[in-house]
Amino acid sequence: ATCHSIVQQHGGHISVESNSKLGTTFHVLLPASSREPPEDNRAVPKQPRGQGRILFMDDDQAMRTMSRAILEQLGYEAAIVASGTEAVEAYKSSLDQAMPFDAVVLDLTVQGEMGGREAIRQLRELDPTAKAVVISGYSNDAVLASPRRFGFDEAVSKPFTVQQLGQALAKVLAHQAPKS
């Protein structure tokens, strides 16, 4: 009744077709406007571009695939791992090869494996200057509210946008001297 009233007030028509075996289809017809649409004056946010090597850890394959594409779109070289154990091993290996990561992005919770909280503790033992972003789908977790208290530099809630991850990495890397 509410939809019918709104459509009628705008000079339109609404009809319905229903078949118990096929389902229901609503047809909403509205007249075209003769006015020009208003100009969209909102500025399109500029994607922060970066450079450097980023180690990204998440136990979800789809998230790893998407995040690799996001990091590369932002201009970073991405190394992707599935657990905190793998993150610590990859970070240590990068230090041993004199090719350290510029920053790490760690998922807080990893099913049946080491998560971000323990991984950052071990990474800080290897490199106290490590730059770290924590990500999590648990937006009410204390780590997201106070990332520095738990050893992280920034926090981003999942799901995140290209813009959000890019901004977090830009902040983390802004005051960093280049690693050699």
Side-chain angles (χ1 to χ4, degrees), residues 78-116:
I80 309 295
V81 296
S83 71
T85 302
E86 290 177 31
V88 172
E89 289 169 2
Y91 199 91
K92 183 176 182 338
S93 176
S94 76
L95 290 175
D96 291 345
Q97 296 172 23
M99 293 178 52
F101 289 103
D102 295 290
V104 297
V105 179
L106 303 172
D107 186 13
L108 187 59
T109 308
V110 175
Q111 198 81 307
E113 246 291 357
M114 180 194 309

Side-chain angles (χ1 to χ4, degrees), residues 72-168:
E72 289 173 354
Q73 180 181 343
L74 290 169
Y76 296 106
E77 179 186 331
I80 309 295
V81 296
S83 71
T85 302
E86 290 177 31
V88 172
E89 289 169 2
Y91 199 91
K92 183 176 182 338
S93 176
S94 76
L95 290 175
D96 291 345
Q97 296 172 23
M99 293 178 52
F101 289 103
D102 295 290
V104 297
V105 179
L106 303 172
D107 186 13
L108 187 59
T109 308
V110 175
Q111 198 81 307
E113 246 291 357
M114 180 194 309
R117 192 180 297 201
E118 176 60 20
I120 192 59
R121 190 188 64 69
Q122 291 186 28
L123 290 177
R124 293 269 182 227
E125 289 174 6
L126 291 172
D127 178 6
T129 66
K131 302 296 182 189
V133 176
V134 63
I135 58 172
S136 180
Y138 299 101
S139 59
N140 60 348
D141 193 291
V143 177
L144 289 183
S146 302
R148 291 186 190 285
R149 203 171 96 210
F150 295 91
F152 295 96
D153 299 293
E154 288 290 328
V156 179
S157 292
K158 289 196 240 177
F160 51 80
T161 64
V162 173
Q163 184 78 13
Q164 290 167 326
L165 184 59
Q167 286 175 342

